[in-house]
Amino acid sequence: MPCAWPNAAGSLPKNPTMSELRSLPSVDRLLQTPAAARLIEDFGRPQTLAAIRQTLDEVRRDAARGIPIPDPSGILKRAQTALEEWFSPTLTPVINASGVVLHTNLGRAPLSRAALQAQQAVSGSYSTLEFDLNTGKRSKREIHAEKLLTRLTGAEAALVVNNNAAAVLLVLSALAHRRKVVISRTQLVEIGGGFRVPEVMKQSGAKLVEIGTTNRVHLTDYENALEEAAPVLVLRAHHSNFRIVGFASEPSLAEIAAVAHARGIPLIDDLGSGALLDTEPFGLAHEPTVQESLASGADLVCFSGDKLLGGPQAGIIVGRQDLIAKIRKHPLARAIRTDKSCLSALSATLVHYLKGEALREIPVWRMISAGAEEIRLRAEAWQKAIGLGEVIPSRSAVGGGSLPEETLPTYALALTVPQPAQVLAALREQRPAVIARVENNLVLLDPRTVLPDQDSSLLTSLKNALNQNN
Ligand SMILES: *Cc1c(COP(=O)(O)O)cnc(C)c1O
């Protein structure tokens, strides 16, 4: 056993804890106590042993600095604290009162009830993931969401992979490895989490043919590149969380499609967020939809499952059957395939759109479509319940790499406190943790992004955090 304490022949000055240290119980003696038996029952023997050893090492080090040695029960208490910390999950639910609907750091879209049920049903049991009940033979996992996606978007075929970054990488790897791909410099963007369009393109082995300038690209730039560079693809990437304002322009997707198709070159649209519904009726700018991209002539459209679609993490490719057949066969497709829990949740989410119940059933759409009045009433109920703060008009954001700088009118509970940052920290310490934001020195809690069944947990966490801060 490692021992940080020098033996009796060591030259450290005598201090009162030295003799106590000799009486420090051995690991074996501690393991024989009832308290240790309980730890073994709760946490298993190997980790209990590791925690006791670690605690004894710490106690010896402390003793060297003159800190008194705890008794055996104190030592085991410390071992228990260590075990609890080691075993407690780091991925836990939080209450998002930030007002950012698609908060990437908070896991993007919460799932609908039906999606959760579907996920649970196939995850806690065997399933038809790759099995055909009619023939009793092997089938393919890709079929599960494909039919729903083609029905919903009108595309010929669909393929679901791990996430949209993987989808774009796969499309380029399968269709343009060592070949040229035309992309406008207006679209060489970096979105959050280290996804840089030019780097993903290079990773696929595609050769970039950059056209236009940072702020402007013209149709003639596309025509010239198609003429001179003989590319195999044209890629259009959504600007995502970035907006070019002022002297800026790009041809429409339909115009680019027309010039690409005139030379028989497919157009790939990395749409990013991939809305299936129009955001405009809710007072937001228009976010291009998957259906519009396809209708404008994109041969393939790539988008995320957990942004405006409101489903699980996934990368979705929809479009031409022949291109998707080729993509499916690429070895990378196997490496980035999706799992049963994703496919089941995605399918259940897509059904909400087909039934016309997306605004009611899909949490992110319920949040986006929530009216300011409805939100104000909730904020007022919170205010009444804690007897503090005031309800003020504010703005919520969509986030998730869609609709940059676009906000929705909302009402928030605003708390005037001496140290707003400390209150934010105290809110994060609660379980469930609450994520709020500070604006103009006020702590703001926006009901828009708090799920309806989280109100009472939110109020408990809020009361505890405020008491702790007094
Ligand atoms: C978000 C986004 C991606 C990456 O999607 P993930 O699902 O996060 O991998 C790629 N391209 C664009 C334009 C995006 O907005």
Side-chain angles (χ1 to χ4, degrees), residues 235-259:
L235 177 66
R236 193 203 53 170
H238 188 285
H239 298 147
S240 207
N241 45 8
F242 173 71
R243 203 164 81 188
I244 308 180
V245 292
F247 188 59
S249 69
E250 288 179 335
S252 72
L253 194 64
E255 289 170 319
I256 304 170
V259 299

PDB file of all heavy atoms in Angstrom, residues 235-259:
ATOM      1  N   LEU A 235     -21.780  22.281 -53.250  1.00  0.00           N
ATOM      2  CA  LEU A 235     -22.283  22.237 -51.875  1.00  0.00           C
ATOM      3  C   LEU A 235     -22.770  23.619 -51.475  1.00  0.00           C
ATOM      4  O   LEU A 235     -22.099  24.628 -51.719  1.00  0.00           O
ATOM      5  CB  LEU A 235     -21.168  21.798 -50.915  1.00  0.00           C
ATOM      6  CG  LEU A 235     -21.518  21.772 -49.430  1.00  0.00           C
ATOM      7  CD1 LEU A 235     -22.567  20.716 -49.106  1.00  0.00           C
ATOM      8  CD2 LEU A 235     -20.269  21.516 -48.577  1.00  0.00           C
ATOM      9  N   ARG A 236     -23.960  23.652 -50.887  1.00  0.00           N
ATOM     10  CA  ARG A 236     -24.382  24.889 -50.255  1.00  0.00           C
ATOM     11  C   ARG A 236     -24.538  24.616 -48.768  1.00  0.00           C
ATOM     12  O   ARG A 236     -25.162  23.616 -48.385  1.00  0.00           O
ATOM     13  CB  ARG A 236     -25.710  25.391 -50.816  1.00  0.00           C
ATOM     14  CG  ARG A 236     -25.883  26.825 -50.332  1.00  0.00           C
ATOM     15  CD  ARG A 236     -27.208  27.403 -50.261  1.00  0.00           C
ATOM     16  NE  ARG A 236     -28.234  26.710 -49.534  1.00  0.00           N
ATOM     17  CZ  ARG A 236     -29.399  27.292 -49.284  1.00  0.00           C
ATOM     18  NH1 ARG A 236     -29.640  28.522 -49.707  1.00  0.00           N
ATOM     19  NH2 ARG A 236     -30.334  26.631 -48.634  1.00  0.00           N
ATOM     20  N   ALA A 237     -23.927  25.465 -47.933  1.00  0.00           N
ATOM     21  CA  ALA A 237     -24.039  25.268 -46.488  1.00  0.00           C
ATOM     22  C   ALA A 237     -24.812  26.437 -45.894  1.00  0.00           C
ATOM     23  O   ALA A 237     -24.555  27.597 -46.217  1.00  0.00           O
ATOM     24  CB  ALA A 237     -22.661  25.166 -45.849  1.00  0.00           C
ATOM     25  N   HIS A 238     -25.739  26.112 -45.036  1.00  0.00           N
ATOM     26  CA  HIS A 238     -26.508  27.146 -44.328  1.00  0.00           C
ATOM     27  C   HIS A 238     -25.540  27.917 -43.425  1.00  0.00           C
ATOM     28  O   HIS A 238     -24.654  27.312 -42.818  1.00  0.00           O
ATOM     29  CB  HIS A 238     -27.572  26.437 -43.495  1.00  0.00           C
ATOM     30  CG  HIS A 238     -28.569  27.352 -42.864  1.00  0.00           C
ATOM     31  ND1 HIS A 238     -28.275  28.118 -41.775  1.00  0.00           N
ATOM     32  CD2 HIS A 238     -29.858  27.605 -43.170  1.00  0.00           C
ATOM     33  CE1 HIS A 238     -29.358  28.809 -41.437  1.00  0.00           C
ATOM     34  NE2 HIS A 238     -30.328  28.511 -42.271  1.00  0.00           N
ATOM     35  N   HIS A 239     -25.731  29.237 -43.338  1.00  0.00           N
ATOM     36  CA  HIS A 239     -24.812  30.033 -42.503  1.00  0.00           C
ATOM     37  C   HIS A 239     -24.954  29.714 -41.027  1.00  0.00           C
ATOM     38  O   HIS A 239     -24.118  30.087 -40.224  1.00  0.00           O
ATOM     39  CB  HIS A 239     -25.051  31.529 -42.683  1.00  0.00           C
ATOM     40  CG  HIS A 239     -24.816  31.977 -44.073  1.00  0.00           C
ATOM     41  ND1 HIS A 239     -25.525  33.000 -44.641  1.00  0.00           N
ATOM     42  CD2 HIS A 239     -23.954  31.547 -45.014  1.00  0.00           C
ATOM     43  CE1 HIS A 239     -25.114  33.180 -45.887  1.00  0.00           C
ATOM     44  NE2 HIS A 239     -24.159  32.307 -46.136  1.00  0.00           N
ATOM     45  N   SER A 240     -26.064  29.077 -40.682  1.00  0.00           N
ATOM     46  CA  SER A 240     -26.240  28.615 -39.311  1.00  0.00           C
ATOM     47  C   SER A 240     -26.298  29.780 -38.333  1.00  0.00           C
ATOM     48  O   SER A 240     -27.116  30.673 -38.494  1.00  0.00           O
ATOM     49  CB  SER A 240     -25.119  27.643 -38.977  1.00  0.00           C
ATOM     50  OG  SER A 240     -25.521  26.752 -38.005  1.00  0.00           O
ATOM     51  N   ASN A 241     -25.390  29.806 -37.360  1.00  0.00           N
ATOM     52  CA  ASN A 241     -25.479  30.810 -36.293  1.00  0.00           C
ATOM     53  C   ASN A 241     -24.761  32.109 -36.650  1.00  0.00           C
ATOM     54  O   ASN A 241     -24.232  32.791 -35.804  1.00  0.00           O
ATOM     55  CB  ASN A 241     -24.917  30.242 -34.994  1.00  0.00           C
ATOM     56  CG  ASN A 241     -23.607  29.524 -35.238  1.00  0.00           C
ATOM     57  OD1 ASN A 241     -23.071  29.584 -36.338  1.00  0.00           O
ATOM     58  ND2 ASN A 241     -23.089  28.876 -34.240  1.00  0.00           N
ATOM     59  N   PHE A 242     -24.730  32.443 -37.918  1.00  0.00           N
ATOM     60  CA  PHE A 242     -23.934  33.567 -38.395  1.00  0.00           C
ATOM     61  C   PHE A 242     -24.756  34.270 -39.455  1.00  0.00           C
ATOM     62  O   PHE A 242     -25.434  33.641 -40.259  1.00  0.00           O
ATOM     63  CB  PHE A 242     -22.644  32.984 -38.997  1.00  0.00           C
ATOM     64  CG  PHE A 242     -21.756  33.957 -39.684  1.00  0.00           C
ATOM     65  CD1 PHE A 242     -21.042  34.895 -38.962  1.00  0.00           C
ATOM     66  CD2 PHE A 242     -21.604  33.915 -41.067  1.00  0.00           C
ATOM     67  CE1 PHE A 242     -20.194  35.782 -39.607  1.00  0.00           C
ATOM     68  CE2 PHE A 242     -20.762  34.796 -41.717  1.00  0.00           C
ATOM     69  CZ  PHE A 242     -20.061  35.729 -40.982  1.00  0.00           C
ATOM     70  N   ARG A 243     -24.727  35.591 -39.443  1.00  0.00           N
ATOM     71  CA  ARG A 243     -25.503  36.308 -40.444  1.00  0.00           C
ATOM     72  C   ARG A 243     -24.639  37.355 -41.114  1.00  0.00           C
ATOM     73  O   ARG A 243     -23.955  38.127 -40.451  1.00  0.00           O
ATOM     74  CB  ARG A 243     -26.711  36.970 -39.783  1.00  0.00           C
ATOM     75  CG  ARG A 243     -27.808  37.240 -40.793  1.00  0.00           C
ATOM     76  CD  ARG A 243     -29.127  37.512 -40.124  1.00  0.00           C
ATOM     77  NE  ARG A 243     -29.189  38.889 -39.660  1.00  0.00           N
ATOM     78  CZ  ARG A 243     -30.167  39.352 -38.900  1.00  0.00           C
ATOM     79  NH1 ARG A 243     -31.117  38.552 -38.492  1.00  0.00           N
ATOM     80  NH2 ARG A 243     -30.174  40.598 -38.534  1.00  0.00           N
ATOM     81  N   ILE A 244     -24.674  37.353 -42.443  1.00  0.00           N
ATOM     82  CA  ILE A 244     -23.944  38.389 -43.189  1.00  0.00           C
ATOM     83  C   ILE A 244     -24.937  39.500 -43.489  1.00  0.00           C
ATOM     84  O   ILE A 244     -25.979  39.263 -44.081  1.00  0.00           O
ATOM     85  CB  ILE A 244     -23.383  37.834 -44.518  1.00  0.00           C
ATOM     86  CG1 ILE A 244     -22.583  36.545 -44.282  1.00  0.00           C
ATOM     87  CG2 ILE A 244     -22.513  38.882 -45.192  1.00  0.00           C
ATOM     88  CD1 ILE A 244     -22.005  35.948 -45.557  1.00  0.00           C
ATOM     89  N   VAL A 245     -24.606  40.706 -43.018  1.00  0.00           N
ATOM     90  CA  VAL A 245     -25.515  41.830 -43.275  1.00  0.00           C
ATOM     91  C   VAL A 245     -24.794  42.873 -44.122  1.00  0.00           C
ATOM     92  O   VAL A 245     -23.577  42.832 -44.278  1.00  0.00           O
ATOM     93  CB  VAL A 245     -26.028  42.469 -41.954  1.00  0.00           C
ATOM     94  CG1 VAL A 245     -26.936  41.522 -41.209  1.00  0.00           C
ATOM     95  CG2 VAL A 245     -24.876  42.906 -41.085  1.00  0.00           C
ATOM     96  N   GLY A 246     -25.563  43.797 -44.648  1.00  0.00           N
ATOM     97  CA  GLY A 246     -24.960  44.863 -45.447  1.00  0.00           C
ATOM     98  C   GLY A 246     -24.810  44.438 -46.890  1.00  0.00           C
ATOM     99  O   GLY A 246     -25.699  43.796 -47.462  1.00  0.00           O
ATOM    100  N   PHE A 247     -23.655  44.775 -47.488  1.00  0.00           N
ATOM    101  CA  PHE A 247     -23.432  44.521 -48.903  1.00  0.00           C
ATOM    102  C   PHE A 247     -23.118  43.042 -49.102  1.00  0.00           C
ATOM    103  O   PHE A 247     -21.962  42.630 -49.146  1.00  0.00           O
ATOM    104  CB  PHE A 247     -22.274  45.404 -49.396  1.00  0.00           C
ATOM    105  CG  PHE A 247     -22.078  45.376 -50.875  1.00  0.00           C
ATOM    106  CD1 PHE A 247     -23.092  45.762 -51.743  1.00  0.00           C
ATOM    107  CD2 PHE A 247     -20.858  44.972 -51.407  1.00  0.00           C
ATOM    108  CE1 PHE A 247     -22.896  45.735 -53.119  1.00  0.00           C
ATOM    109  CE2 PHE A 247     -20.654  44.946 -52.780  1.00  0.00           C
ATOM    110  CZ  PHE A 247     -21.682  45.322 -53.631  1.00  0.00           C
ATOM    111  N   ALA A 248     -24.177  42.243 -49.141  1.00  0.00           N
ATOM    112  CA  ALA A 248     -23.993  40.796 -49.203  1.00  0.00           C
ATOM    113  C   ALA A 248     -25.053  40.204 -50.116  1.00  0.00           C
ATOM    114  O   ALA A 248     -26.182  40.692 -50.161  1.00  0.00           O
ATOM    115  CB  ALA A 248     -24.133  40.190 -47.804  1.00  0.00           C
ATOM    116  N   SER A 249     -24.687  39.173 -50.857  1.00  0.00           N
ATOM    117  CA  SER A 249     -25.698  38.491 -51.661  1.00  0.00           C
ATOM    118  C   SER A 249     -25.221  37.115 -52.075  1.00  0.00           C
ATOM    119  O   SER A 249     -24.025  36.852 -52.196  1.00  0.00           O
ATOM    120  CB  SER A 249     -26.064  39.314 -52.895  1.00  0.00           C
ATOM    121  OG  SER A 249     -24.972  39.335 -53.787  1.00  0.00           O
ATOM    122  N   GLU A 250     -26.199  36.249 -52.276  1.00  0.00           N
ATOM    123  CA  GLU A 250     -25.954  34.901 -52.776  1.00  0.00           C
ATOM    124  C   GLU A 250     -27.103  34.574 -53.719  1.00  0.00           C
ATOM    125  O   GLU A 250     -28.236  34.968 -53.457  1.00  0.00           O
ATOM    126  CB  GLU A 250     -25.993  33.891 -51.612  1.00  0.00           C
ATOM    127  CG  GLU A 250     -24.817  33.961 -50.676  1.00  0.00           C
ATOM    128  CD  GLU A 250     -24.929  32.943 -49.522  1.00  0.00           C
ATOM    129  OE1 GLU A 250     -26.050  32.541 -49.179  1.00  0.00           O
ATOM    130  OE2 GLU A 250     -23.885  32.556 -48.994  1.00  0.00           O
ATOM    131  N   PRO A 251     -26.854  33.829 -54.780  1.00  0.00           N
ATOM    132  CA  PRO A 251     -27.979  33.415 -55.616  1.00  0.00           C
ATOM    133  C   PRO A 251     -28.886  32.471 -54.828  1.00  0.00           C
ATOM    134  O   PRO A 251     -28.463  31.884 -53.834  1.00  0.00           O
ATOM    135  CB  PRO A 251     -27.324  32.675 -56.793  1.00  0.00           C
ATOM    136  CG  PRO A 251     -25.869  32.652 -56.542  1.00  0.00           C
ATOM    137  CD  PRO A 251     -25.567  33.317 -55.256  1.00  0.00           C
ATOM    138  N   SER A 252     -30.127  32.331 -55.270  1.00  0.00           N
ATOM    139  CA  SER A 252     -31.035  31.425 -54.567  1.00  0.00           C
ATOM    140  C   SER A 252     -30.641  29.982 -54.846  1.00  0.00           C
ATOM    141  O   SER A 252     -29.923  29.685 -55.812  1.00  0.00           O
ATOM    142  CB  SER A 252     -32.469  31.661 -55.031  1.00  0.00           C
ATOM    143  OG  SER A 252     -32.615  31.156 -56.350  1.00  0.00           O
ATOM    144  N   LEU A 253     -31.141  29.098 -53.994  1.00  0.00           N
ATOM    145  CA  LEU A 253     -30.842  27.671 -54.166  1.00  0.00           C
ATOM    146  C   LEU A 253     -31.350  27.186 -55.530  1.00  0.00           C
ATOM    147  O   LEU A 253     -30.664  26.419 -56.223  1.00  0.00           O
ATOM    148  CB  LEU A 253     -31.502  26.869 -53.037  1.00  0.00           C
ATOM    149  CG  LEU A 253     -31.014  25.443 -52.877  1.00  0.00           C
ATOM    150  CD1 LEU A 253     -29.546  25.409 -52.475  1.00  0.00           C
ATOM    151  CD2 LEU A 253     -31.856  24.697 -51.853  1.00  0.00           C
ATOM    152  N   ALA A 254     -32.525  27.676 -55.925  1.00  0.00           N
ATOM    153  CA  ALA A 254     -33.105  27.247 -57.211  1.00  0.00           C
ATOM    154  C   ALA A 254     -32.196  27.670 -58.370  1.00  0.00           C
ATOM    155  O   ALA A 254     -32.002  26.918 -59.325  1.00  0.00           O
ATOM    156  CB  ALA A 254     -34.499  27.834 -57.371  1.00  0.00           C
ATOM    157  N   GLU A 255     -31.619  28.879 -58.265  1.00  0.00           N
ATOM    158  CA  GLU A 255     -30.723  29.346 -59.342  1.00  0.00           C
ATOM    159  C   GLU A 255     -29.461  28.497 -59.404  1.00  0.00           C
ATOM    160  O   GLU A 255     -28.991  28.132 -60.472  1.00  0.00           O
ATOM    161  CB  GLU A 255     -30.349  30.814 -59.100  1.00  0.00           C
ATOM    162  CG  GLU A 255     -31.488  31.784 -59.321  1.00  0.00           C
ATOM    163  CD  GLU A 255     -31.161  33.201 -58.835  1.00  0.00           C
ATOM    164  OE1 GLU A 255     -30.546  33.363 -57.753  1.00  0.00           O
ATOM    165  OE2 GLU A 255     -31.510  34.141 -59.561  1.00  0.00           O
ATOM    166  N   ILE A 256     -28.915  28.180 -58.218  1.00  0.00           N
ATOM    167  CA  ILE A 256     -27.699  27.354 -58.195  1.00  0.00           C
ATOM    168  C   ILE A 256     -28.020  25.963 -58.747  1.00  0.00           C
ATOM    169  O   ILE A 256     -27.252  25.396 -59.532  1.00  0.00           O
ATOM    170  CB  ILE A 256     -27.132  27.240 -56.760  1.00  0.00           C
ATOM    171  CG1 ILE A 256     -26.857  28.629 -56.174  1.00  0.00           C
ATOM    172  CG2 ILE A 256     -25.841  26.419 -56.754  1.00  0.00           C
ATOM    173  CD1 ILE A 256     -26.517  28.611 -54.680  1.00  0.00           C
ATOM    174  N   ALA A 257     -29.174  25.438 -58.337  1.00  0.00           N
ATOM    175  CA  ALA A 257     -29.577  24.105 -58.814  1.00  0.00           C
ATOM    176  C   ALA A 257     -29.669  24.100 -60.339  1.00  0.00           C
ATOM    177  O   ALA A 257     -29.190  23.160 -60.989  1.00  0.00           O
ATOM    178  CB  ALA A 257     -30.914  23.704 -58.196  1.00  0.00           C
ATOM    179  N   ALA A 258     -30.243  25.155 -60.899  1.00  0.00           N
ATOM    180  CA  ALA A 258     -30.425  25.191 -62.363  1.00  0.00           C
ATOM    181  C   ALA A 258     -29.073  25.143 -63.088  1.00  0.00           C
ATOM    182  O   ALA A 258     -28.917  24.375 -64.039  1.00  0.00           O
ATOM    183  CB  ALA A 258     -31.214  26.437 -62.754  1.00  0.00           C
ATOM    184  N   VAL A 259     -28.099  25.931 -62.615  1.00  0.00           N
ATOM    185  CA  VAL A 259     -26.810  25.930 -63.336  1.00  0.00           C
ATOM    186  C   VAL A 259     -26.044  24.616 -63.083  1.00  0.00           C
ATOM    187  O   VAL A 259     -25.353  24.120 -63.973  1.00  0.00           O
ATOM    188  CB  VAL A 259     -25.920  27.159 -63.012  1.00  0.00           C
ATOM    189  CG1 VAL A 259     -26.600  28.457 -63.409  1.00  0.00           C
ATOM    190  CG2 VAL A 259     -25.498  27.200 -61.564  1.00  0.00           C
TER     191      VAL A 259
END
